[in-house]
Amino acid sequence: KLQNQEEERYKVPHRAYPYNWGGVKTIVAPMKRVVVNPSLKARDHPVLRADRPSHVSVLTLVRDAASRLPGGVGTRPDITQLLQDSVYINEVTDQNKLKQVVSGALDRLRQEQDPCVKYLSFHKFWIYLHRRRTENSF
């Protein structure tokens, strides 16, 4: 179940995590600059639950959602839909706000030093680039 895997992933965010989704294993990179402190309160965000761990962000959740794209390829609405499966997303989130947040996060992810996503503008597809990596390759 996704929510169980998600909770497990964020207990040890400094390590790469292998999601098993629909019989397919995909790897997500470890989080950078993580401070795991249960006493820290998460910063408010309109689409995220307030009771989440403080190191869970939109950027990390969008990365995780992109990793679960079937075949590693999909559209922004596909990623938005996968993001809504997260235990850390507010259930009453405005869909337009969620789309806007996903767009911004995908743009940031593709500009990282080691990007995990790539956008194919001709096809309007996002590709998850870390799909075939191993836990030790980060």
Side-chain angles (χ1 to χ4, degrees), residues 2-136:
L2 172 65
Q3 287 80 11
N4 295 340
Q5 291 184 68
E6 210 172 33
E7 288 174 357
E8 184 179 310
R9 181 228 193 311
Y10 290 109
K11 284 181 184 172
V12 285
H14 56 279
R15 292 196 335 230
Y17 185 80
Y19 274 105
N20 288 298
W21 185 252
V24 177
K25 181 179 173 180
T26 59
I27 303 293
V28 289
M31 294 173 59
K32 297 176 180 97
R33 296 178 299 256
V34 177
V35 176
V36 179
N37 183 345
S39 65
L40 284 179
K41 185 181 181 307
R43 291 175 44 195
D44 286 340
H45 194 284
V47 302
L48 299 178
R49 288 181 36 189
D51 63 345
R52 73 190 188 279
S54 61
H55 53 277
V56 174
S57 68
V58 168
L59 200 63
T60 60
L61 294 176
V62 170
R63 176 186 293 119
D64 291 4
S67 78
R68 298 189 310 271
L69 285 167
V73 178
T75 62
R76 186 193 64 207
D78 294 336
I79 295 169
T80 302
Q81 184 64 44
L82 290 168
L83 179 65
Q84 288 178 305
D85 294 334
S86 172
V87 70
Y88 301 114
I89 297 293
N90 279 327
E91 292 179 18
V92 292
T93 298
D94 173 42
Q95 292 301 304
N96 289 326
K97 181 65 177 170
L98 193 60
K99 289 177 191 176
Q100 194 176 37
V101 164
V102 169
S103 289
L106 287 169
D107 285 340
R108 285 178 57 201
L109 288 170
R110 73 178 176 169
Q111 294 172 18
E112 289 184 338
Q113 186 174 0
D114 180 17
C116 64
V117 293
K118 178 180 180 178
Y119 184 64
L120 298 178
S121 58
F122 180 76
H123 299 290
K124 299 190 188 295
F125 282 133
W126 288 91
I127 299 173
Y128 182 68
L129 300 172
H130 293 173
R131 187 166 178 243
R132 302 230 188 273
R133 288 209 180 165
T134 64
E135 292 175 58
N136 298 325

